[in-house]
Amino acid sequence: MPVISINENGFLEKLKKTKGLFSCVISSIETTKYVPISGVNKSVIDYTPAADMELVTLGKSLSLNHPPIDATGCPSPATITRAAVDLLDLPVLTVDAGSYVKPKIPYVSIDEKPTGDIRYGLAMDNSKELFRSGKILSKNTIYESLIVGESVPGGTTTALGVLLGLGYDAKDKISSGSVENPKELKLSVVESGIKNSKSNDVFDILNAVGDKMMPVVAGMAISAVLKNKPVLLAGGTQMASVLAVINEINPKILKSGLIGISTTEFVLNDKNADLKNIIEQIGDVPLFASKFGYENSKIDGLKAYCKGSVKEGVGAGGISTYSYLNGLNPKDIRYYVEENYEIWYSN
Ligand code: AAM
């Protein structure tokens, strides 16, 4: 299997041969308008969550002329996710938790308003409600397994904020969508926001420096486990922060054997981050990382993933783990992305 497994406890066997639902929760963060914390290209950042999910669902971005790109012009990780869901014909459920631009595809609306300015501890005032909505949505959705990702530009900064706010040693350990992870800047943003948190309670921390994707995904994952269905948090350090949120709300979920986290090899090997250590601090949960063979790609934008561009997002790592378990291999995904690259990015 082209998947690195850490602390595997039989989870993959449970995920195998299930009819998976891929869901992706999207949000924008107001802070990205004022502070360059995100690795997503500034020219497309407000459109990125919508355009990512249009690509995953339809095979083309409608809200932009081409799928999103990062600051160095490399393709969105939604290209990987599109390959996996199309090749396996998986159902996709888009959940809006406050994207600036709304996707031009059917989606579930949980919150229209974007995440606020985390510099002032004003991310949201409704994290508890968002958590409940995520729980209700997942309880009432049919699937044999749930693979849940995110598209939240600036989301590695909110991940840092929430993990620090909950007391984790995360300072130098959070990844980024950019080659140059602006660590000092991200830290100063969240440190000023945390000061305005009402307390150390998980919902107060989320309200101050989280993003709206986090309580929604936490609720969705908890409902999945309560329904006895395996759930894969599809992401890197952003999903680690969701795992920490789940652990605060219901620590038994982590011990259920029904929850895992899966990212890409690019995040796991990121020298500017330490996902493995963060997961170890949170609990006894299996961590996976999908391989892609992108070092062999003929396309520079894909090769650049190996040098720190993009790395992860839109559930790319997790949906690939699921797809490798269910018949695909890295070449299937790479060839699909390479074949479509010209069409997607010709504009
Ligand atoms: C999602 N779409 C993307 C992308 N992501 N398109 C281009 N580049 C990305 N990196 P940061 O905190 O640096 O903004 O990184 C998190 C974002 O990068 C998220 O939106 C994630 O899904 C990914």
Side-chain angles (χ1 to χ4, degrees), residues 38-40 48 52 69-70 76-77 150 152-156 177 238 312-314:
S38 173
V40 176
T48 289
D52 273 341
I69 47 174
D70 80 340
S76 166
E150 57 63 49
V152 185
T156 59
Q238 291 176 255
E312 165 68 298
V314 201

